[in-house]
Amino acid sequence: MPRSLPEDPLIRRLVQQARASQLSRRSVLAGGVGGAAALALAACAPTSSGAPSPATDQSDSDKNVNWANWPGYMDEDDAGGYPTLEAFTAETGIAVDYLVEINDNNEYYAKVRDVLALGQDIGADLITLTDWMAGRLINLGYVQELDVANIPNQSNLVPDLRDVGFDPGRKFSLPWQGGFAGLCWNKELLPNGLKTLDDLWDPELAGKIVVLSEMRDTMGLILLDQGIDISGDFSEDDFNNALDVFREKVTSGQIGAVRGNSYTQDLINGDAIAGIVWSGDVTLVNGELGSDLFEFAIPESGGTLWNDNLMIPIGSPRKKNAEALINYYYEPEVAAEVALWVNYITPVVGAKEAAAAIDPEAAENQLIFPNEETLSQVKTFRPLTGAEEQSFGTAFQAVLVGA
């Protein structure tokens, strides 16, 4: 049964800013020319005269569930196991095959779209995609409607994320985690840190910078640096002015690499000492290095805010099992355990209080439980029209192809 827990006003404020956003956490291949090909493939989704029918649920006889997720997005132990997943199996008898196989939205969609269009099993009963891609799959009829009777803990979802533009009423999706895009740097090599994009464009850093291949995050930070409100009605000229900056920094060699989720390896192996990154991944990088070498900050001109979402593919034959797994992760104590490990923003009411019981200092972690001051520094990239998606995406990819 759902627990009656206090509502966290800070998280409410965060998700209020995220409402109706179609912001992607990661949207193009892990860097290089291949990103344009992935974008083109994703744009060429098959069409049909009608949406496929949901698979027959076999959960009562098949106590398994497959979950496709991003790297560094689950609590782990020293042996590489997943403690909360193991606890779920012990509690329910449902075995989980946790698949770390989503590197970016478009790449994953290109991989599974033909199977989804046929209504067949893609090998994952639960997938984790960002708002705009979640909206695409919902619109195409490629995901199953959630049975709220099997997810009583859905009542723990922060109120302002219960009704979003891409999924009114949350019939097909529930948020997994949210986070920021901002700046990071090697504290030993850059002891003064980075406060602005001008700091990032210091000629001394030429070739040692990695930025995200996610258009909305990298371009979002540049637009914000130019005084443009990315959550408002900015123009194509505004976007193109920011694109000119991005193009110049790429072609001049100031930016050494444009990556998807694999940008973390550039930081770990020393190919990059600074960049535009996702907030929680800095903790992952430091964990790999066994130190606190890198630091994250929202630039003075502002950072971006995004959310990822849980959905059940249309061809999954284990829908009830997937819903049980979603329900489990909406327990505040479980949500807190995950959030403290991944350092991303949990959408679960009561998780802050549960986290404070585990670690009293956790309530002060601005990457998980941002306060009003932090929230005032971030914006969501507004939903794009179809024409803007095509125009902006093509122009952004052209820079990568020409690099």
Side-chain angles (χ1 to χ4, degrees):
M1 295 294 294
R3 300 169 186 242
S4 177
L5 292 160
E7 179 180 323
D8 181 1
L10 300 182
I11 300 302
R12 287 191 71 248
R13 166 72 183 280
L14 171 72
V15 297
Q16 187 174 22
Q17 293 188 56
R19 188 173 183 174
S21 165
Q22 292 185 2
L23 182 63
S24 163
R25 181 178 180 207
R26 310 166 172 99
S27 74
V28 191
L29 269 170
V33 177
L39 186 63
L41 285 171
C44 298
T47 58
S48 62
S49 57
S53 300
T56 301
D57 193 11
Q58 302 174 13
S59 295
D60 289 340
S61 59
D62 184 350
K63 294 301 182 181
N64 295 279
V65 63
N66 303 324
W67 182 1
N69 208 347
W70 304 84
Y73 231 12
M74 180 61 66
D75 57 301
E76 296 184 34
D77 58 27
D78 292 339
Y82 304 110
T84 57
L85 284 175
E86 293 168 3
F88 169 77
T89 298
E91 178 180 312
T92 65
I94 301 171
V96 182
D97 189 2
Y98 186 70
L99 310 169
V100 183
E101 62 180 27
I102 303 178
N103 184 61
D104 69 58
N105 291 287
N106 271 309
E107 180 188 42
Y108 187 74
Y109 178 63
K111 173 184 174 182
V112 302
R113 73 186 193 283
D114 291 339
V115 182
L116 287 170
L118 294 172
Q120 297 177 354
D121 185 2
I122 64 171
D125 306 296
L126 192 63
I127 55 178
T128 316
L129 299 173
T130 38
D131 290 346
W132 70 274
M133 182 60 79
R136 177 186 291 181
L137 267 62
I138 291 169
N139 289 336
L140 289 171
Y142 289 173
V143 293
Q144 300 189 44
E145 184 170 351
L146 301 175
D147 185 345
V148 295
N150 295 330
I151 315 175
N153 287 331
Q154 182 174 352
S155 63
N156 293 332
L157 173 62
V158 288
D160 290 309
L161 277 182
R162 293 176 184 172
D163 187 34
V164 291
F166 66 88
D167 185 13
R170 284 291 182 183
K171 294 181 178 180
F172 298 93
S173 69
L174 282 171
W176 170 240
Q177 306 287 322
F180 308 126
L183 303 175
C184 86
W185 63 92
N186 182 310
K187 293 188 290 185
E188 289 184 359
L189 299 177
L190 300 170
N192 294 326
L194 303 177
K195 297 180 180 179
T196 68
L197 260 64
D198 282 344
D199 294 339
L200 189 66
W201 307 145
D202 186 334
E204 295 294 323
L205 299 182
K208 289 292 186 178
I209 296 169
V210 63
V211 303
L212 301 167
S213 62
E214 166 50 55
M215 178 189 72
R216 291 163 176 81
D217 287 330
T218 293
M219 292 301 298
L221 262 63
I222 296 174
L223 282 160
L224 287 165
D225 187 62
Q226 295 185 338
I228 304 301
D229 181 357
I230 61 173
S231 66
D233 191 22
F234 63 85
S235 68
E236 185 171 359
D237 285 343
D238 293 328
F239 181 86
N240 287 333
N241 289 337
L243 186 69
D244 288 342
V245 173
F246 177 61
R247 182 184 296 108
E248 190 278 326
K249 299 306 176 184
V250 170
T251 57
S252 70
Q254 179 71 21
I255 294 175
V258 184
R259 306 281 194 213
N261 200 57
S262 63
Y263 79 89
T264 57
Q265 291 304 312
D266 291 74
L267 299 173
I268 291 169
N269 63 29
D271 287 342
I273 63 174
I276 294 175
V277 307
W278 293 301
S279 50
D281 285 346
V282 175
T283 301
L284 172 66
V285 168
N286 284 336
E288 289 287 330
L289 294 171
S291 70
D292 291 325
L293 184 62
F294 283 91
E295 186 168 345
F296 174 87
I298 297 170
E300 291 179 351
S301 53
T304 63
L305 171 67
W306 44 262
N307 279 281
D308 290 334
N309 304 272
L310 301 167
M311 297 182 295
I312 301 173
I314 193 70
S316 166
R318 306 176 189 90
K319 179 174 183 283
K320 191 189 300 184
N321 292 345
E323 290 167 336
L325 188 57
I326 295 172
N327 187 64
Y328 170 76
Y329 277 100
Y330 267 72
E331 284 283 351
E333 293 80 4
V334 179
E337 188 171 349
V338 173
L340 291 176
W341 200 94
V342 302
N343 280 259
Y344 282 113
I345 304 162
T346 174
V348 178
V349 171
K352 180 177 181 179
E353 293 82 354
I358 299 172
D359 179 356
E361 296 183 5
E364 305 304 319
N365 187 331
Q366 294 301 294
L367 301 183
I368 310 173
F369 305 109
N371 60 25
E372 292 292 333
E373 180 181 358
T374 299
L375 297 178
S376 69
Q377 301 172 40
V378 296
K379 296 283 188 179
T380 57
F381 201 106
R382 69 165 172 80
L384 299 178
T385 66
E388 288 173 332
E389 187 76 50
Q390 176 73 18
S391 175
F392 295 174
T394 300
F396 184 78
Q397 285 299 307
V399 174
L400 301 188
V401 172

